[in-house]
Amino acid sequence: MTRVLVAGESWVSESTHYKGFDSFTTTTYHTGFEPLRDVLEADGVQVDHLPAHDVPKLFPGTAEELAAYDVVVLSDIGANSILLHPDTWLASKKSVNRLDLLADWVRQGGGLAMAGGYLSFQGIEAKAAFSGTAVERVLPAVISRYDDRVEAPQGLPGVLADAEHPIVAGLPARWPDLLGYNRFTLPEDARLLATVGEDPLLAVREVGAGRTLAWASDIAPHWCPEEFTGWEGYATIFTRAVRWLAKEL
């Protein structure tokens, strides 16, 4: 069975409620990976989710741990969460550079995808900080050094750019609207499969023995609304993407 690790796609929100003289604070926990999980599991893929708060401690730190997976998906999780193990952050001990490790795993045959979001690619206020890292060097994306978000509250459709690639073959030329994305450009050896606005939406690349994919928008709301996740092409794109990354397509 194909096994996928989805890292990120969770968050904790804190709210302060003011009622006259008095106030109180509440916290809520949310996840956003369910639309992707549901279509992959329906296709027979095993999906393991590593929530964002667990990434610093539990993200794979050896080649053997990464080898348990066919595909790793980074979604709305910044570079610092992968780089800074608690041993380093709290105890000033050396630890493995897991961005370098991930890039080496790709070159040895792994499949890596990055999906867009406020903490993907370079992200809001440039806080995702993947520009200049080993992960950028294997992705089909040249990442800005600055805040790379493109907000599109009016909606922008995905547009097919390469009808021959197996991930998108047979899909219509125009896809449902998206509400935003991360803007990046392409390295010379990347292959563009779809665009949004004037920019790449979906691109792939072969790096050494491995494969990588960049999806510029969210995998779920808020940038990827239910109009898109409920479209039958959503399941087609992402199930085929995982199969392609795992070299089953």
Side-chain angles (χ1 to χ4, degrees), residues 121-143:
F121 298 99
Q122 200 66 356
I124 189 169
E125 299 174 355
K127 288 180 177 178
F130 280 100
S131 179
T133 68
V135 165
E136 181 194 26
R137 290 192 285 274
V138 297
L139 285 174
V142 178
I143 300 172

mmCIF file of all heavy atoms in Angstrom, residues 121-143:
data_model
loop_
_atom_site.group_PDB
_atom_site.id
_atom_site.type_symbol
_atom_site.label_atom_id
_atom_site.label_comp_id
_atom_site.label_asym_id
_atom_site.label_seq_id
_atom_site.Cartn_x
_atom_site.Cartn_y
_atom_site.Cartn_z
ATOM 1 N N PHE A 121 5.819 27.611 1.056
ATOM 2 C CA PHE A 121 6.729 28.352 0.189
ATOM 3 C C PHE A 121 7.393 29.459 1.021
ATOM 4 O O PHE A 121 8.079 29.162 1.986
ATOM 5 C CB PHE A 121 6.008 28.831 -1.062
ATOM 6 C CG PHE A 121 5.484 27.667 -1.879
ATOM 7 C CD1 PHE A 121 4.146 27.261 -1.792
ATOM 8 C CD2 PHE A 121 6.338 26.949 -2.706
ATOM 9 C CE1 PHE A 121 3.687 26.172 -2.521
ATOM 10 C CE2 PHE A 121 5.882 25.850 -3.430
ATOM 11 C CZ PHE A 121 4.549 25.465 -3.344
ATOM 12 N N GLN A 122 7.185 30.757 0.705
ATOM 13 C CA GLN A 122 7.746 31.793 1.588
ATOM 14 C C GLN A 122 6.714 32.287 2.593
ATOM 15 O O GLN A 122 7.059 32.643 3.702
ATOM 16 C CB GLN A 122 8.314 32.956 0.773
ATOM 17 C CG GLN A 122 9.303 33.817 1.527
ATOM 18 C CD GLN A 122 10.604 33.096 1.893
ATOM 19 O OE1 GLN A 122 10.765 31.905 1.658
ATOM 20 N NE2 GLN A 122 11.542 33.823 2.479
ATOM 21 N N GLY A 123 5.451 32.337 2.193
ATOM 22 C CA GLY A 123 4.374 32.541 3.142
ATOM 23 C C GLY A 123 4.161 33.971 3.602
ATOM 24 O O GLY A 123 4.819 34.910 3.159
ATOM 25 N N ILE A 124 3.203 34.101 4.507
ATOM 26 C CA ILE A 124 2.830 35.411 5.024
ATOM 27 C C ILE A 124 4.016 36.047 5.752
ATOM 28 O O ILE A 124 4.699 35.398 6.545
ATOM 29 C CB ILE A 124 1.597 35.298 5.952
ATOM 30 C CG1 ILE A 124 1.070 36.690 6.308
ATOM 31 C CG2 ILE A 124 1.868 34.450 7.171
ATOM 32 C CD1 ILE A 124 -0.289 36.672 6.989
ATOM 33 N N GLU A 125 4.282 37.303 5.423
ATOM 34 C CA GLU A 125 5.405 38.039 6.007
ATOM 35 C C GLU A 125 6.726 37.279 5.860
ATOM 36 O O GLU A 125 7.648 37.462 6.652
ATOM 37 C CB GLU A 125 5.115 38.348 7.488
ATOM 38 C CG GLU A 125 3.871 39.207 7.674
ATOM 39 C CD GLU A 125 3.490 39.411 9.128
ATOM 40 O OE1 GLU A 125 4.144 38.810 10.002
ATOM 41 O OE2 GLU A 125 2.533 40.163 9.387
ATOM 42 N N ALA A 126 6.804 36.419 4.845
ATOM 43 C CA ALA A 126 7.999 35.611 4.547
ATOM 44 C C ALA A 126 8.368 34.664 5.681
ATOM 45 O O ALA A 126 9.513 34.226 5.791
ATOM 46 C CB ALA A 126 9.182 36.501 4.183
ATOM 47 N N LYS A 127 7.403 34.265 6.518
ATOM 48 C CA LYS A 127 7.697 33.472 7.709
ATOM 49 C C LYS A 127 7.826 31.980 7.437
ATOM 50 O O LYS A 127 8.384 31.253 8.276
ATOM 51 C CB LYS A 127 6.633 33.733 8.780
ATOM 52 C CG LYS A 127 6.752 35.110 9.414
ATOM 53 C CD LYS A 127 5.684 35.342 10.456
ATOM 54 C CE LYS A 127 5.887 36.704 11.135
ATOM 55 N NZ LYS A 127 4.825 36.985 12.123
ATOM 56 N N ALA A 128 7.317 31.491 6.321
ATOM 57 C CA ALA A 128 7.513 30.069 6.021
ATOM 58 C C ALA A 128 8.967 29.781 5.688
ATOM 59 O O ALA A 128 9.496 28.704 5.993
ATOM 60 C CB ALA A 128 6.598 29.623 4.884
ATOM 61 N N ALA A 129 9.624 30.721 5.000
ATOM 62 C CA ALA A 129 11.091 30.778 4.889
ATOM 63 C C ALA A 129 11.728 29.570 4.212
ATOM 64 O O ALA A 129 12.802 29.130 4.608
ATOM 65 C CB ALA A 129 11.705 30.989 6.278
ATOM 66 N N PHE A 130 11.101 29.048 3.140
ATOM 67 C CA PHE A 130 11.722 27.954 2.396
ATOM 68 C C PHE A 130 12.670 28.445 1.300
ATOM 69 O O PHE A 130 13.422 27.652 0.737
ATOM 70 C CB PHE A 130 10.660 27.048 1.785
ATOM 71 C CG PHE A 130 10.063 26.070 2.763
ATOM 72 C CD1 PHE A 130 8.833 26.311 3.346
ATOM 73 C CD2 PHE A 130 10.749 24.921 3.120
ATOM 74 C CE1 PHE A 130 8.283 25.413 4.258
ATOM 75 C CE2 PHE A 130 10.213 24.015 4.030
ATOM 76 C CZ PHE A 130 8.975 24.269 4.597
ATOM 77 N N SER A 131 12.636 29.730 0.997
ATOM 78 C CA SER A 131 13.542 30.257 -0.024
ATOM 79 C C SER A 131 14.987 30.060 0.409
ATOM 80 O O SER A 131 15.363 30.341 1.549
ATOM 81 C CB SER A 131 13.266 31.747 -0.246
ATOM 82 O OG SER A 131 14.145 32.275 -1.206
ATOM 83 N N GLY A 132 15.808 29.560 -0.512
ATOM 84 C CA GLY A 132 17.220 29.361 -0.231
ATOM 85 C C GLY A 132 17.559 28.078 0.495
ATOM 86 O O GLY A 132 18.732 27.824 0.783
ATOM 87 N N THR A 133 16.566 27.244 0.800
ATOM 88 C CA THR A 133 16.811 26.010 1.538
ATOM 89 C C THR A 133 17.032 24.837 0.588
ATOM 90 O O THR A 133 16.775 24.911 -0.618
ATOM 91 C CB THR A 133 15.629 25.664 2.453
ATOM 92 O OG1 THR A 133 14.484 25.321 1.640
ATOM 93 C CG2 THR A 133 15.273 26.832 3.368
ATOM 94 N N ALA A 134 17.472 23.717 1.161
ATOM 95 C CA ALA A 134 17.661 22.495 0.381
ATOM 96 C C ALA A 134 16.346 22.005 -0.217
ATOM 97 O O ALA A 134 16.328 21.429 -1.307
ATOM 98 C CB ALA A 134 18.283 21.410 1.255
ATOM 99 N N VAL A 135 15.236 22.241 0.484
ATOM 100 C CA VAL A 135 13.934 21.823 -0.048
ATOM 101 C C VAL A 135 13.590 22.610 -1.304
ATOM 102 O O VAL A 135 13.098 22.048 -2.289
ATOM 103 C CB VAL A 135 12.844 21.969 1.034
ATOM 104 C CG1 VAL A 135 11.445 21.911 0.416
ATOM 105 C CG2 VAL A 135 13.001 20.869 2.080
ATOM 106 N N GLU A 136 13.847 23.919 -1.305
ATOM 107 C CA GLU A 136 13.602 24.689 -2.524
ATOM 108 C C GLU A 136 14.406 24.131 -3.684
ATOM 109 O O GLU A 136 13.916 24.071 -4.827
ATOM 110 C CB GLU A 136 13.962 26.157 -2.327
ATOM 111 C CG GLU A 136 13.689 26.982 -3.589
ATOM 112 C CD GLU A 136 14.335 28.352 -3.575
ATOM 113 O OE1 GLU A 136 15.365 28.529 -2.892
ATOM 114 O OE2 GLU A 136 13.827 29.256 -4.269
ATOM 115 N N ARG A 137 15.622 23.689 -3.438
ATOM 116 C CA ARG A 137 16.494 23.231 -4.516
ATOM 117 C C ARG A 137 15.997 21.961 -5.190
ATOM 118 O O ARG A 137 16.439 21.645 -6.294
ATOM 119 C CB ARG A 137 17.920 23.061 -3.992
ATOM 120 C CG ARG A 137 18.589 24.408 -3.679
ATOM 121 C CD ARG A 137 20.077 24.273 -3.436
ATOM 122 N NE ARG A 137 20.396 23.699 -2.147
ATOM 123 C CZ ARG A 137 20.505 24.401 -1.024
ATOM 124 N NH1 ARG A 137 20.284 25.720 -1.031
ATOM 125 N NH2 ARG A 137 20.824 23.818 0.118
ATOM 126 N N VAL A 138 15.070 21.235 -4.552
ATOM 127 C CA VAL A 138 14.520 20.044 -5.212
ATOM 128 C C VAL A 138 13.087 20.250 -5.693
ATOM 129 O O VAL A 138 12.587 19.450 -6.494
ATOM 130 C CB VAL A 138 14.597 18.802 -4.299
ATOM 131 C CG1 VAL A 138 16.038 18.465 -3.991
ATOM 132 C CG2 VAL A 138 13.778 18.956 -3.032
ATOM 133 N N LEU A 139 12.407 21.289 -5.234
ATOM 134 C CA LEU A 139 11.034 21.540 -5.664
ATOM 135 C C LEU A 139 10.987 22.125 -7.075
ATOM 136 O O LEU A 139 11.952 22.753 -7.518
ATOM 137 C CB LEU A 139 10.345 22.513 -4.713
ATOM 138 C CG LEU A 139 9.906 21.998 -3.348
ATOM 139 C CD1 LEU A 139 9.372 23.157 -2.508
ATOM 140 C CD2 LEU A 139 8.860 20.895 -3.481
ATOM 141 N N PRO A 140 9.857 21.977 -7.760
ATOM 142 C CA PRO A 140 9.669 22.654 -9.043
ATOM 143 C C PRO A 140 9.214 24.095 -8.825
ATOM 144 O O PRO A 140 8.201 24.549 -9.385
ATOM 145 C CB PRO A 140 8.590 21.818 -9.729
ATOM 146 C CG PRO A 140 7.776 21.277 -8.608
ATOM 147 C CD PRO A 140 8.731 21.068 -7.457
ATOM 148 N N ALA A 141 9.947 24.815 -7.997
ATOM 149 C CA ALA A 141 9.552 26.174 -7.619
ATOM 150 C C ALA A 141 10.776 26.992 -7.247
ATOM 151 O O ALA A 141 11.610 26.535 -6.463
ATOM 152 C CB ALA A 141 8.580 26.144 -6.436
ATOM 153 N N VAL A 142 10.875 28.180 -7.816
ATOM 154 C CA VAL A 142 11.848 29.175 -7.372
ATOM 155 C C VAL A 142 11.081 30.124 -6.469
ATOM 156 O O VAL A 142 10.190 30.855 -6.922
ATOM 157 C CB VAL A 142 12.477 29.919 -8.559
ATOM 158 C CG1 VAL A 142 13.449 30.977 -8.068
ATOM 159 C CG2 VAL A 142 13.178 28.938 -9.492
ATOM 160 N N ILE A 143 11.408 30.125 -5.188
ATOM 161 C CA ILE A 143 10.596 30.769 -4.166
ATOM 162 C C ILE A 143 11.109 32.180 -3.893
ATOM 163 O O ILE A 143 12.310 32.407 -3.745
ATOM 164 C CB ILE A 143 10.601 29.921 -2.877
ATOM 165 C CG1 ILE A 143 10.034 28.522 -3.173
ATOM 166 C CG2 ILE A 143 9.788 30.597 -1.781
ATOM 167 C CD1 ILE A 143 10.175 27.551 -2.004
#
